Amino acid sequence: MHGPFYDYFFGMAVPDRDALAARAGTTRGVLTQVAYGHKQIELGFADALVAVCAGKVVLDWLPLTDNAKRQRSIRESALVGQVA
């Protein structure tokens, strides 16, 4: 079973996948591996990917490395209790 990023990514035409990859500073091949869940990514790259997808992709959809998961947890716990 594949996740929402797979559906989003493979729902795009190939030229659009190439353009997304270029905006994210990577290749369509890397994003294909991410979409299939064969490649885990670091938090910085995941954040960049979410940003270039303009709200159509969320962090929860992406396969993060263990280190990225720890960093995300730290970041989110640091935000608890902060006044916006």
Side-chain angles (χ1 to χ4, degrees):
M1 180 174 161
H2 301 291
F5 182 68
Y6 175 95
D7 296 335
Y8 171 75
F9 186 67
F10 287 108
M12 302 169 83
V14 170
D16 295 331
R17 286 184 239 157
D18 288 335
L20 173 64
R23 286 192 314 273
T26 191
T27 65
R28 178 170 32 110
V30 168
L31 292 185
T32 297
Q33 291 177 11
V34 171
Y36 276 107
H38 297 306
K39 180 168 186 62
Q40 294 179 325
I41 58 177
E42 292 297 335
L43 189 57
F45 178 51
D47 284 339
L49 190 53
V50 168
V52 299
C53 289
K56 296 178 182 171
V57 170
V58 296
L59 202 54
D60 290 332
W61 294 1
L62 302 171
L64 301 176
T65 64
D66 289 340
N67 187 51
K69 290 175 188 174
R70 277 190 300 278
Q71 291 171 334
R72 181 182 182 194
S73 176
I74 292 166
R75 177 172 70 187
E76 289 174 354
S77 67
L79 295 175
V80 173
Q82 287 187 356
V83 177

